[in-house]
């Protein structure tokens, strides 16, 4: 198991290196001169050259890339062209906000998604199942900004229960977390239902019942653990999605998270910031995939033993 | 009846059906039998004739949309069909245990063998975690597991088919049940392992005195293990009697057909005999006798109405058959 985790970590390093290379190439093939974008139009060619030299942009591309990697290893991703704030500082600050939003939305998605998915499977074909499936379809197909606006109108403006924008209090996270969580809950509940339906028809579930176990023990101990693999796969991807920020939700609720930072840096052509956020997205996805792979091995001994071979 | 003659389980006029597009499929239709302490009752028939549904009806585990619609299942003076679910759960795995056909899929792949056996002990015998695990190791040793301590920590995928079936046997016997239902326990195993499993079940039966309900389509297994035999066809009992009577003097053409289909080393026939046709759709049975379309000796009478169950012989050499031929002969 430890060997497996070490191997996966090693692969992760290669994936991150690849991601850094792709990010660097993409930033360099984008049209427009970053120095010209930074400076006013009337800047003299001498001033442009001086800034270019200061930023190391006059060096060969390979040297620039190696400098980028060397600095990235020291957690230095450069400074914003416009605010001069170090990219790492901006990312850390925004990450705190995104993490609060993501963890609330993720809790809603996991707890409700798995619970109603299980209930729906157990009530297959009955009214509850149909209702859950209807809500799931709505949750998946309704655009998140639309759900967000509806929530703002109902719970923010009409009922006045929660703030509709900003992050002034813990209550500010309720509506954006609900808007984001509903969407992810819908997909998790669908996968849970399908996976549970497959598992509860297995012979070992009949064996568990034949042992005299109560139905909740059969479901929680014998069925759910077997149904978890596809749920975890999806939950891992969704965690990555949430941690990299939901641009639309953050925009609608004016939350200064990673998603908004990324949109802002694209709009302002703030290349170091954009490079930093893209690299951050890659890191989050690579780590959440690693977490998913490790959880597979913890849940299913067949995977654990196959991996150790 | 069993050696002591004490009836442990009595099934009376059991009716289990499944709704289908063509109407109600009566998978078990009026099945009645008793099984005594220390006795092995064999239930034979082709696939789809209602053997397994009979077994699952006894422990009330018929899968939806199936339903036990009538009859009585008497155990310990009570009708199991009338018991509240909580009380039925106290009987399942404790007083009436079942070994299933497919050992490869009947064990939970994500739980250790030890956890799966010990949970029944903890549930029914109220043992603590440590005591239950100690008993589990004893049970594994009893079903001839080498290094039970190590094996208890293993997962089903680390065991062979025969070993998994031995785990199922240990699981079924750990609470010393009064009735052990074996649903084709050797079908999925190769021949040498089959012999080991059979002798293990025999050994455990004589140790605990449990009544055994052996469901199989293997007449060789029946001849080896059963005291009495029931032959089922299309959800009904078509022949019943002592092993000797049914296997050496079959009265129903279906039983005869099954016996003729068994390959025999002392008979030099080019091809095996087969019973022509298939088990009928239980939702639209043929008129009269359900076996009529496949029966080489069918007559006018077989078309008129279903035959009645005729009993011949005394208690000790009981023999009954559900066939117009036997009725006209008697």
């Amino acid at each position: 198991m430890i060997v497996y985790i070490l191997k996966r970590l090693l692969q992760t390093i290669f994936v991150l290196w690849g991601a850094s290379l792709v990010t660097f190439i993409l930033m360099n093939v984008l049209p427009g001169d970053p120095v010209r974008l930074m400076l006013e139009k009337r800047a003299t060619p001498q001033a442009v050259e001086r800034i270019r030299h200061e930023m190391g942009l006059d060096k060969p591309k390979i040297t620039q890339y190696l400098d980028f990697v060397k600095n990235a290893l020291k957690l230095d991703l450069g400074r914003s062209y416009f605010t001069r704030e170090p990219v790492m500082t901006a990312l850390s600050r925004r990450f705190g906000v995104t993490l609060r939003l993501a963890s609330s939305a993720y809790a809603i998605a996991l707890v409700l998604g798995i619970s109603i998915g299980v209930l729906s499977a157990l009530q297959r074909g009955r009214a509850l199942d149909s209702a859950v499936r209807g809500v799931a379809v709505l949750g998946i197909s309704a655009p998140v900004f639309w759900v967000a606006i509806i929530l703002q109108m109902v719970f923010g403006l009409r009922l006045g229960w929660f703030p509709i924008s900003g992050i002034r209090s813990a209550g500010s996270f309720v509506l954006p977390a609900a808007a984001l969580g509903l969407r992810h809950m819908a997909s998790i509940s669908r996968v849970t239902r399908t996976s549970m339906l497959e598992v509860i028809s297995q012979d070992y579930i009949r064996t568990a019942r034949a042992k005299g176990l109560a139905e909740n023990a059969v479901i929680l101990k014998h069925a759910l653990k077997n149904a978890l693999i596809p749920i975890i796969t999806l939950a891992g991807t969704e965690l990555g999605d949430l941690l990299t920020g939901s641009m639309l939700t953050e925009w609608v609720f004016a939350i200064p998270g990673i998603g908004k930072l990324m949109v802002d840096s694209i709009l302002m052509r703030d290349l170091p910031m954009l490079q930093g956020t893209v690299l951050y997205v890659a890191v989050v996805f690579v780590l959440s995939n690693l977490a998913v792979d490790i959880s597979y091995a913890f849940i299913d001994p067949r995977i654990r033993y196959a991996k150790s071979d | 009846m069993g050696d002591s003659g004490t009836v442990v389980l009595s099934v009376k006029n059991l009716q289990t059906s499944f709704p289908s597009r063509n109407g109600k499929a009566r998978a078990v239709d009026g099945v009645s039998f008793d099984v005594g302490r220390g006795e092995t009752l064999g239930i034979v028939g082709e696939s789809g004739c209602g053997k397994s549904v009979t077994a699952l009806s006894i422990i009330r585990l018929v899968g939806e949309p199936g339903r036990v619609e009538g009859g009585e299942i008497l155990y310990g003076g009570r009708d199991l069909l009338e018991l509240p679910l909580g009380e039925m759960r106290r009987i399942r795995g404790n007083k009436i245990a079942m070994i299933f056909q497919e050992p490869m899929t009947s064990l939970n792949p994500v739980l250790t063998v030890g956890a799966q056996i010990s949970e029944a002990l903890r549930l029914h015998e109220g043992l603590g975690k440590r005591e239950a695990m100690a008993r589990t190791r004893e049970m594994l040793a009893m079903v001839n597991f080498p290094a039970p301590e190590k094996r208890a920590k293993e997962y089903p995928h680390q065991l062979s088919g025969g070993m998994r079936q031995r785990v199922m046997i240990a699981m079924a016997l750990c609470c010393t049940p009064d009735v052990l239902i074996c649903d084709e326990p050797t079908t999925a195993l190769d021949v040498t392992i089959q012999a080991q499993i059979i002798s293990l079940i025999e050994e455990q039966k004589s140790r605990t005195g449990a009544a055994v309900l052996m469901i199989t389509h293997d007449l060789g297994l029946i001849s080896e293990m059963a005291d009495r035999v029931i032959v089922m066809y299309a959800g009904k009992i078509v022949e019943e009697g002592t092993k000797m009577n049914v296997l050496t003097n079959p009265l129903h053409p279906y039983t005869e057909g099954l016996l003729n289909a068994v390959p025999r080393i002392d008979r030099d026939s080019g091809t095996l005999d087969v019973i022509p046709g298939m088990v009928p759709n239980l939702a639209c049975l043929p008129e009269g006798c359900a076996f009529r379309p496949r029966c080489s000796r069918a007559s006018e009478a077989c078309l008129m109405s279903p035959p009645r169950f005729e009993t011949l012989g005394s208690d000790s050499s009981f023999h009954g058959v559900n066939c117009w031929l036997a009725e006209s002969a008697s």
Side-chain angles (χ1 to χ4, degrees), chain B residues 29-32 230-241 246 250-255 285 288-292 295 301-302 305-312 318-328 330:
Chain B
D29 190 7
V31 166
S32 302
I230 281 174
V231 182
M232 282 186 77
Y233 184 75
K236 284 189 163 71
I237 295 179
V238 293
E239 185 159 1
E240 181 181 354
V246 173
L251 296 174
H252 198 285
Y254 179 60
T255 316
L285 290 173
C289 170
F291 187 60
R292 180 184 48 81
C295 182
C302 307
S305 60
R308 286 186 306 250
F309 199 80
E310 288 290 316
T311 35
L312 317 159
F318 174 79
H319 202 166
V321 66
N322 201 1
C323 179
W324 284 116
L325 288 172
E327 196 158 319
S328 49
S330 67

Side-chain angles (χ1 to χ4, degrees), chain A residues 260-309:
Chain A
K260 195 162 181 298
L261 180 69
M262 192 184 283
V263 177
D264 289 343
S265 57
I266 292 169
L267 293 177
M268 297 170 74
R269 300 281 194 277
D270 190 349
L271 294 187
M273 197 59 88
L274 186 55
Q275 203 165 7
T277 50
V278 171
L279 197 60
Y280 161 83
V281 170
V283 170
V284 166
F285 272 100
V286 165
L287 292 182
S288 55
N289 274 326
L290 177 68
V292 165
D293 278 2
I294 294 172
S295 0
Y296 285 162
F298 271 107
I299 288 165
D300 194 333
R302 289 165 296 184
I303 298 176
R304 183 156 71 234
Y305 285 84
K307 305 266 192 209
S308 349
D309 289 342

Side-chain angles (χ1 to χ4, degrees), chain A residues 106-133:
Chain A
Y106 202 53
I108 292 173
L110 279 186
V111 174
L112 291 181
I114 293 177
S115 315
I116 66 174
V118 169
L119 277 179
S120 181
L122 298 179
Q123 298 283 315
R124 186 187 190 177
R126 301 198 182 127
L128 179 74
D129 182 31
S130 308
V132 166
R133 284 161 67 194

Side-chain angles (χ1 to χ4, degrees), chain A residues 126 202-204 206-215 221-223 225-226 299-302 304-305, chain B residues 56 61 64 89 92-93 100 102 105-111 116 119-120 123-124 155 157-158 168 171:
Chain A
R126 301 198 182 127
Q202 297 293 320
D203 289 348
Y204 54 80
R206 187 186 53 190
T207 307
R209 291 193 175 118
K211 258 188 261 185
L213 292 179
E215 198 57 18
K221 189 173 174 191
H222 287 261
K225 204 174 171 193
N226 278 284
I299 288 165
D300 194 333
R302 289 165 296 184
R304 183 156 71 234
Y305 285 84
Chain B
L56 291 171
L61 279 181
E64 280 192 15
R89 285 192 187 119
R92 280 183 201 149
F100 294 99
E102 190 44 86
T105 54
S106 294
L107 291 171
N108 193 326
V110 301
L111 297 176
Q116 295 189 59
E119 73 178 345
L123 179 73
H124 297 301
Y155 290 91
H157 74 276
Q158 295 172 287
M168 288 295 293
M171 197 189 287

Side-chain angles (χ1 to χ4, degrees), chain A residues 21-303:
Chain A
L21 187 64
V22 171
T23 312
F24 183 83
I25 293 170
L26 284 177
M27 294 305 127
N28 278 282
V29 295
L30 280 180
D33 181 354
V35 179
R36 290 267 175 211
L37 282 169
M38 264 178 78
L39 300 173
E40 287 177 21
K41 277 186 183 167
R42 56 197 160 85
T44 60
Q46 290 81 359
V48 170
E49 275 317 302
R50 187 170 51 80
I51 298 292
R52 197 187 299 282
H53 178 72
E54 276 174 22
M55 291 169 70
L57 294 174
D58 55 348
K59 292 182 190 168
K61 293 289 178 205
I62 183 76
T63 318
Q64 283 184 43
Y65 175 67
L66 290 176
D67 284 347
F68 168 70
V69 172
K70 203 164 64 186
N71 291 332
L73 287 175
K74 290 188 281 183
L75 300 181
D76 174 9
L77 296 174
R79 283 172 182 273
S80 160
Y81 286 163
F82 299 94
T83 63
R84 303 305 297 155
E85 184 184 17
V87 171
M88 270 312 285
T89 314
L91 277 175
S92 324
R93 189 159 40 79
R94 299 297 185 106
F95 177 72
V97 177
T98 294
L99 185 65
R100 281 172 77 185
L101 175 59
S103 50
S104 326
Y106 202 53
I108 292 173
L110 279 186
V111 174
L112 291 181
I114 293 177
S115 315
I116 66 174
V118 169
L119 277 179
S120 181
L122 298 179
Q123 298 283 315
R124 186 187 190 177
R126 301 198 182 127
L128 179 74
D129 182 31
S130 308
V132 166
R133 284 161 67 194
V135 170
V137 170
L138 189 72
I140 291 168
S141 47
V144 69
F145 67 86
W146 178 79
V147 176
I149 291 167
I150 298 287
L151 290 176
Q152 282 177 324
M153 282 168 61
V154 176
F155 297 99
L157 297 175
R158 183 155 298 185
L159 298 171
W161 290 355
F162 304 105
I164 57 165
S165 68
I167 50 164
R168 285 183 299 278
S169 62
S172 310
F173 284 94
V174 174
L175 295 184
L180 262 182
L182 181 71
R183 186 179 187 75
H184 293 280
M185 178 203 82
S187 25
I188 289 178
S189 73
R190 277 178 72 94
V191 170
T192 305
R193 178 182 180 275
T194 311
S195 183
M196 279 297 286
L197 280 177
E198 199 185 313
V199 168
I200 56 180
S201 62
Q202 297 293 320
D203 289 348
Y204 54 80
I205 297 299
R206 187 186 53 190
T207 307
R209 291 193 175 118
K211 258 188 261 185
L213 292 179
E215 198 57 18
N216 57 358
V218 173
I219 298 303
L220 296 176
K221 189 173 174 191
H222 287 261
L224 191 55
K225 204 174 171 193
N226 278 284
L228 276 179
I229 293 284
I231 302 172
I232 283 180
T233 311
L234 178 68
T237 321
E238 310 241 312
L239 179 65
D241 268 352
L242 287 168
L243 282 176
T244 52
S246 166
M247 298 177 197
L248 287 169
T249 313
E250 288 181 5
W251 260 83
V252 173
F253 288 97
I255 292 174
I258 298 279
K260 195 162 181 298
L261 180 69
M262 192 184 283
V263 177
D264 289 343
S265 57
I266 292 169
L267 293 177
M268 297 170 74
R269 300 281 194 277
D270 190 349
L271 294 187
M273 197 59 88
L274 186 55
Q275 203 165 7
T277 50
V278 171
L279 197 60
Y280 161 83
V281 170
V283 170
V284 166
F285 272 100
V286 165
L287 292 182
S288 55
N289 274 326
L290 177 68
V292 165
D293 278 2
I294 294 172
S295 0
Y296 285 162
F298 271 107
I299 288 165
D300 194 333
R302 289 165 296 184
I303 298 176

Side-chain angles (χ1 to χ4, degrees), chain B residues 260-299:
Chain B
N260 288 339
V262 176
R264 285 178 57 172
I265 203 159
D266 59 340
R267 213 192 289 160
D268 183 25
S269 59
T271 52
L272 287 175
D273 288 333
V274 291
I275 305 172
M278 306 271 288
V279 176
N281 180 343
L282 296 172
C284 39
L285 290 173
E287 271 180 63
C289 170
F291 187 60
R292 180 184 48 81
R294 303 174 73 187
C295 182
S296 55
R297 291 192 273 151
S299 65

Side-chain angles (χ1 to χ4, degrees), chain B residues 93-281:
Chain B
N94 183 20
K95 301 295 179 196
I96 303 178
M98 189 157 172
I99 300 169
F100 294 99
Q101 177 177 356
E102 190 44 86
M104 307 308 269
T105 54
S106 294
L107 291 171
N108 193 326
V110 301
L111 297 176
T112 61
V113 160
Q116 295 189 59
I117 300 175
S118 66
E119 73 178 345
L121 287 164
R122 295 182 70 184
L123 179 73
H124 297 301
E125 312 244 311
L127 300 184
K129 200 171 178 180
R130 200 170 289 184
E131 290 167 290
M133 208 35 104
R135 276 276 295 280
T136 297
R137 289 193 288 269
E138 283 171 28
M139 291 306 296
L140 286 174
M142 200 182 72
V143 295
N144 307 325
F145 258 81
E149 188 130 348
K150 180 174 161 264
R151 292 299 193 181
K153 291 177 191 152
E154 289 186 340
Y155 290 91
H157 74 276
Q158 295 172 287
L159 307 177
S160 65
M163 284 172 125
R164 289 186 207 190
Q165 196 59 299
R166 278 188 270 161
V167 171
M168 288 295 293
I169 295 172
M171 197 189 287
L173 292 172
C174 66
C175 297
T176 328
D178 293 333
V179 181
L180 178 64
I181 304 173
C182 306
D183 185 5
E184 311 221 18
T186 57
T187 306
L189 305 172
D190 56 45
V191 185
T192 49
I193 307 298
Q194 282 183 12
Q196 288 174 18
I197 296 297
I198 293 164
S199 70
L200 190 59
I201 294 173
E202 284 283 29
E203 203 180 293
Q204 297 309 320
K205 185 188 88 170
S206 23
R207 187 180 65 85
T208 61
V212 175
L213 210 62
M214 178 62 67
I215 294 167
T216 181
H217 57 253
D218 180 353
L219 289 168
L221 180 61
I222 288 295
S223 74
E224 218 166 306
M225 290 190 73
D227 300 304
R228 281 188 306 126
V229 183
I230 281 174
V231 182
M232 282 186 77
Y233 184 75
K236 284 189 163 71
I237 295 179
V238 293
E239 185 159 1
E240 181 181 354
T242 58
K243 173 174 72 181
M244 195 56 89
N245 278 343
V246 173
L247 297 187
T248 57
N249 181 28
L251 296 174
H252 198 285
Y254 179 60
T255 316
E256 222 175 282
L258 288 177
L259 285 165
N260 288 339
V262 176
R264 285 178 57 172
I265 203 159
D266 59 340
R267 213 192 289 160
D268 183 25
S269 59
T271 52
L272 287 175
D273 288 333
V274 291
I275 305 172
M278 306 271 288
V279 176
N281 180 343

